[in-house]
Amino acid sequence: MNVQNIMTNLEAKHPGEKEYLQAVREVLESVEEVYNQHPEYEKAKIVERLVEPDRIFKFRVVWVDDNGETQVNLGYRVQYNAALGAYKGGLRFHPAVNESMLKFLGFEQIFKNSLTMLPLGGGKGGADFNPQGKSDAEIMRFCQAFVYELWRNIGPDQDSPAGDVGVGGREIGYMYGMYKKLAREHSTGALTGKSYGWGGSLIRPEATGFGAIYYVDRMVKQNNDTLVGKRIALSGFGNVAWGAATKALELGAKVVAISGPDGVCEIADGITKEMIDYMLVMRASNRNKVQDMADKFPGQCKFTAGKKSWCVKVDIAMPCAFQNELAEEDAKELIANGVKYVAEVSNMGSQPGAIKAIQAAGIPFGPGKAVNAGGVATSGLEIAQNAAHFNWTAEEVDAKLHKIMNDIYDMCVKYGTQADGHIDYVKGANIAGFMRVADAMMAQGII
Ligand code: GLU
């Protein structure tokens, strides 16, 4: 494989699809050396096949808002690769959603799902719908209209969507209700992230954040260090930051910053249980303002408008909100302030320049597709429980999640340890994820 040739062809075929091209380039650069040791991959054009999705559904979603106005949005589902299992991946509701964004997320999802070692193919979907400021009834009508179009193309053995940015338990509930009505069957595995009691798994809401902290705990231990007392900056205050803050507090670390589109909230003495609970209220309000935390806990929190979490002096930085949120200048500020570890939890949360700066400074960097894989892994566990019509206890799910994250970490070390002994977690995650998919594609023939 010649990465540059492949990228030149892809750029010509997909002009302007910046994030998709960035995600593909990172994976190809990581796997190039290993790939070239397998002439059979080259002959079967594994890479050329892998970079294009199996198919993309794009559809109109029409719904009526509370004022009786008709609203039109665009919905998508990218079914990327099914070598390892039925398509699996989240749905993102955000005004910036477009086909290119979902292609990059779907591409990343293939390797992330592969790392979990569960039978999960890669997919992603969503809509350019903005949940901010919408009433509960509007959210319900939108979710119903979205599934009314998509329902024939999902199912436990076909494609199983879940939540992502803008899609949480409430939205999954509305979508599952409509799916069940149309399909005339209780195929619970058709969507994951369901509430406990009608198909959901315990620990699924916490899983992405818990898994991320389990991974970071291993990064810290690798350096004979401890999480206890470490100062952590998170970005966002959504489901992922909430789960990470919960586990960080439990393990004795201090979350000293969270953020929103409006600015940063610094918590000098570390986040408390009451604040973590309040994050749920903030999310449910659809206001998307982190200032609400400072207003609720004055004296303990300090809000600064227009600033990010990365200006706070911390030991560990964890982007938890959106792609490319950690810019090169943010990374440089973190480094100057003595950051010891960076682990992105958002998908492709860091810009390439930021990753380069962190790695060049000798600071361990954990990539999103490994660090955040606990979410989709627990979705896989949810599907397994659905198929068995049975629920594991919270302790059982958590123990399985912990083991999966430990195994992912070990794979990253195995494939990412360089000749000089340092660990390139990005490379390790990409190689481990890629090899499993490539071998499955080889075994299943040219399809
Ligand atoms: N949206 C999450 C992710 O990026 C979860 C996907 C899932 O559970 O299917 O992996």
Side-chain angles (χ1 to χ4, degrees), residues 84 108-118 120 215 367-373 376-377 404-405 407-409 411-412 415 425-434 436-437:
L84 299 179
E108 292 282 284
Q109 198 82 39
I110 303 170
F111 308 104
K112 176 198 319 200
N113 294 3
S114 168
L115 284 172
T116 67
M117 296 308 280
L118 297 170
L120 304 170
Y215 192 96
K369 63 169 77 69
V371 176
N372 74 24
V376 75
I404 290 171
M405 294 312 297
D407 292 347
I408 292 176
Y409 184 86
M411 280 189 277
C412 292
Y415 290 100
Y425 293 97
V426 176
K427 216 170 169 179
N430 283 330
I431 295 174
F434 175 86
R436 189 173 165 228
V437 178

Side-chain angles (χ1 to χ4, degrees), residues 226-231 251-254 315:
T226 169
L227 257 190
V228 178
K230 288 278 174 310
R231 292 165 55 85
L251 298 185
K254 261 189 187 182
D315 304 303

Side-chain angles (χ1 to χ4, degrees), residues 207-217 240 244 318 343 345 371-372 374 405:
T208 310
F210 276 24
I213 296 290
Y214 291 147
Y215 192 96
V216 169
D217 188 41
V240 174
M318 300 176 70
V345 201
V371 176
N372 74 24
M405 294 312 297

Side-chain angles (χ1 to χ4, degrees), residues 88-90 109 112 124 162-164 192 204 347 375-376 379:
K88 184 84 199 87
Q109 198 82 39
K112 176 198 319 200
K124 201 86 187 188
D164 197 81
T192 64
R204 178 62 189 90
N347 294 304
V376 75
S379 279

